[in-house]
Amino acid sequence: MNHSPSHTAASPSLASTPQPANAQASAQVRERDGQWLLIAGGVLLGSIGVFVEEASQHPLVTVWFRCAFGALALLAWCLGTGRGRELLLSGKARWVACASGVLMVLNWALFFAAIPRTSIAVATVIFHIQPIWVIVFGALFLRAAISPLQWLATLAALAGLVLTTGLLDGTAAAAAASNNSQGYLAGVLMCLGGSLCYAGVTLLANTQKAISPYAMALWQCLVGAVALAWAPWALGWPPLGAAWGWLLGLGVLHTGLAYVVLFAGMARLGLGRIAVLQFVYPLTAVLVDWAVYGRTLSPLQMAGVGLMAAALWTLRRPGKAAASAG
């Protein structure tokens, strides 16, 4: 792509000829790199449930450590790459970032509390119903136009959600047999609540598009670190040993590294490709739950996952992409 000034001046017509081909090749490389970055980020996030379960801490304590370690990792990366000025927010942007931080903390707390009550696979898949709430909220409060196809896809996604919960087959019955039926149902409701919070984060972020994704993520972590600073003191600090390593991983790997990788991938791809590749996260969670803990989804639940994926892919057209990572 780079041409020396002398070559360009001597033969402008020849110098300009290869540019389209070089530009196309560069775009293909950029898109390929973006795909691999998004896949890597999705695979990384798909393992988050293992870290939550192995740390075995109160959900609020787990959230605090993720926020604290995540904020340090993101701050170090932003300062190291010269993005420090992006972090300085004022006026309405600051309030939006703080409000989205509160919702994100609630989202994480509900999600982490739901994992041991259901499973990594079920919790993650149910959590990914959040684009439905964005569509519904947009229609109710922003008067966004919803096509008949979108309404049909919304109903299909909700039907897939019901199948995925396991309430229509033996999954819930097995939970009842183990005297944990209330815990399982509570976990499903927690996931739905977390997905509602995440939809709120998406809508808030779209009101302040001048805030960079890195600044938004860091502010969310800072809000959580401050708001939940009391949690380990009141609920107990993790014992020295492996738990600290798992919690450090939640902050550094699943917040710092994952967010940087995902945002870098999103910057290289169109919204349509992003929408498809975001399903790497829940699919990885299903495989990780099976590989690590031997927990599998029933055929009816897998059918629900497929129905949800097809419906959400239909809904995720340009303008509907989420503004934050999970």
Side-chain angles (χ1 to χ4, degrees):
M1 280 185 71
N2 296 325
H3 300 282
S4 66
S6 59
H7 182 96
T8 304
S11 182
S13 60
L14 292 177
S16 60
T17 300
Q19 286 183 359
N22 287 342
Q24 184 178 7
S26 177
Q28 291 175 346
V29 171
R30 179 179 175 85
E31 182 174 331
R32 183 190 62 201
D33 291 345
Q35 291 176 355
W36 282 113
L37 286 169
L38 218 59
I39 291 172
V43 170
L44 185 57
L45 286 179
S47 67
I48 192 172
V50 174
F51 284 68
V52 172
E53 294 222 44
E54 294 301 317
S56 191
Q57 300 300 305
H58 190 283
L60 293 181
V61 175
T62 304
V63 173
W64 183 79
F65 273 98
R66 183 181 189 184
C67 290
F69 288 139
L72 292 175
L74 287 169
L75 180 62
W77 186 86
C78 286
L79 294 179
T81 55
R83 295 175 175 266
R85 294 184 63 86
E86 295 181 15
L87 308 179
L88 302 177
L89 305 180
S90 61
K92 185 179 179 181
R94 181 186 300 167
W95 288 107
V96 167
C98 288
S100 73
V102 171
L103 289 174
M104 187 61 84
V105 168
L106 288 173
N107 157 50
W108 284 344
L110 290 168
F111 180 51
F112 292 168
I115 287 176
R117 288 173 169 83
T118 55
S119 69
I120 295 171
V122 171
T124 305
V125 173
I126 294 176
F127 168 79
H128 276 79
I129 198 66
Q130 66 89 14
I132 292 295
W133 310 137
V134 175
I135 294 287
V136 173
F137 290 162
L140 293 178
F141 302 113
L142 304 179
R143 296 184 178 180
I146 308 298
S147 68
L149 177 60
Q150 286 180 297
W151 281 121
L152 182 61
T154 297
L155 293 175
L158 293 175
L161 173 66
V162 172
L163 295 177
T164 303
T165 62
L167 297 176
L168 300 184
D169 58 14
T171 303
S178 63
N179 297 320
N180 193 36
S181 59
Q182 290 183 348
Y184 188 90
L185 292 173
V188 170
L189 294 175
M190 287 174 181
C191 286
L192 292 175
S195 67
L196 285 168
C197 292
Y198 191 74
V201 171
T202 301
L203 293 172
L204 277 174
N206 285 336
T207 67
Q208 287 291 315
K209 295 183 179 180
I211 306 176
S212 73
Y214 305 103
M216 183 68 81
L218 178 58
W219 274 75
Q220 289 168 352
C221 287
L222 290 174
V223 168
V226 173
L228 294 178
W230 58 271
W233 298 97
L235 301 172
W237 290 88
L240 293 177
W244 281 80
W246 293 111
L247 293 170
L248 180 65
L250 279 175
V252 176
L253 298 178
H254 296 105
T255 308
L257 178 60
Y259 278 26
V260 169
V261 170
L262 285 170
F263 291 145
M266 290 178 182
R268 291 167 167 80
L269 296 173
L271 292 176
R273 190 63 58 86
I274 291 172
V276 174
L277 291 176
Q278 280 181 337
F279 289 107
V280 171
Y281 175 10
L283 292 178
T284 300
V286 172
L287 293 175
V288 166
D289 207 11
W290 165 74
V292 177
Y293 299 109
R295 295 186 294 231
T296 59
L297 297 180
S298 69
L300 196 61
Q301 285 179 299
M302 287 302 298
V305 173
L307 187 57
M308 278 183 61
L312 294 177
W313 181 82
T314 301
L315 287 171
R316 286 190 173 189
R317 67 178 195 275
K320 300 300 181 185
S324 300

